[in-house]
Amino acid sequence: AFAELAANGRAAGVRVLSAASLDLALGELLQREDAFQAVTVERYLRRSELKTARLFEAACQLGALEGRRSEPQDVDALGAFGRRIGLAFQLLDDVLDVSAPAERTGKQRGADLLDGTMTLPLILARERDSELAALDVRSIASSARAAEVCDRIEATGALAEARARALAMAEQATAGLPALPRSQRSALELVADGVVERYA
């Protein structure tokens, strides 16, 4: 009976990994399709869910399945935790792209702009600044120009709004955790804290 259960657990793990791999590929394709295009907040969030949040979700689901004592509802709840944390991570990463120096992130400030990737800070800033709304992202052809656009995005207050959304997601993730042994819950709370502290 245990062997059968273990085999079922492996099958469930394969299904989780297969679905996550497909979604990651779709997310990357969506990002390429959206390159240098104005997108809505909803489209951005969908893309972020596919290319980042699903990876976190799958990791949490696989952990629950590996434990073999988890109830199906716990696997779902831990998956939801991972999805929210993954989305918060992506939002904060996009904030850092606009606000942080290269020595902190390992990439030049405004790298997403130079790559033609529309992120939440720019989407929100375009709603507040008519010059940014009219900006053709293809015209950002140098690091110096990307830095100028980053400064303008920051001046709109869009970074604070994007950060607040991310922190709210992290809080929702922790609040939605199922009943777990204290050590397991503490470990997951550390993950959530690590995502938030990465921005601090």
Side-chain angles (χ1 to χ4, degrees):
F2 180 78
E4 183 180 345
L5 180 63
N8 289 339
R10 283 195 296 273
V14 168
R15 284 194 297 273
V16 168
L17 280 175
S18 297
S21 298
L22 176 60
D23 282 349
L24 262 68
L26 289 173
E28 289 297 332
L29 288 171
L30 195 60
Q31 181 165 305
R32 288 300 91 210
E33 182 181 332
D34 290 346
F36 300 102
Q37 305 294 322
V39 297
T40 63
V41 171
E42 292 74 22
R43 174 101 169 174
Y44 162 82
L45 291 173
R46 176 63 178 151
R47 187 180 74 212
S48 298
E49 285 177 1
L50 289 169
K51 67 185 286 285
T52 305
R54 282 289 285 122
L55 182 62
F56 282 72
E57 179 182 11
C60 290
Q61 289 174 323
L62 289 172
L65 290 168
E66 182 64 23
R68 293 200 178 88
R69 289 185 220 156
S70 300
E71 298 294 330
Q73 63 268 22
D74 291 342
V75 175
D76 291 341
L78 289 170
F81 167 84
R83 187 170 57 253
R84 290 186 182 112
I85 287 296
L87 199 50
F89 177 91
Q90 184 63 62
L91 265 64
L92 290 173
D93 190 64
D94 292 341
V95 168
L96 285 172
D97 182 73
V98 173
S99 63
E103 53 269 20
R104 179 172 175 191
T105 62
K107 60 182 183 178
Q108 66 186 55
R109 187 174 174 224
D112 287 332
L113 293 170
L114 290 165
D115 190 39
T117 303
M118 280 278 189
T119 61
L120 186 61
L122 178 57
I123 295 167
L124 296 175
R126 288 165 67 95
E127 295 172 356
R128 303 168 181 214
D129 183 318
S130 58
E131 286 191 30
L132 285 175
L135 175 70
D136 182 350
V137 181
R138 286 185 176 84
S139 69
I140 305 171
S142 69
S143 298
R145 178 60 178 144
E148 289 174 5
V149 175
C150 286
D151 289 339
R152 194 165 188 109
I153 291 170
E154 197 162 4
T156 68
L159 295 185
E161 183 179 339
R163 180 176 183 270
R165 289 187 185 207
L167 297 182
M169 288 175 193
E171 287 178 11
Q172 290 167 4
T174 303
L177 281 170
L180 295 167
R182 185 64 224 167
S183 61
Q184 292 177 11
R185 185 178 182 91
S186 295
L188 291 170
E189 288 172 347
L190 279 174
V191 171
D193 291 344
V195 167
V196 170
E197 287 168 10
R198 183 170 179 265
Y199 179 86

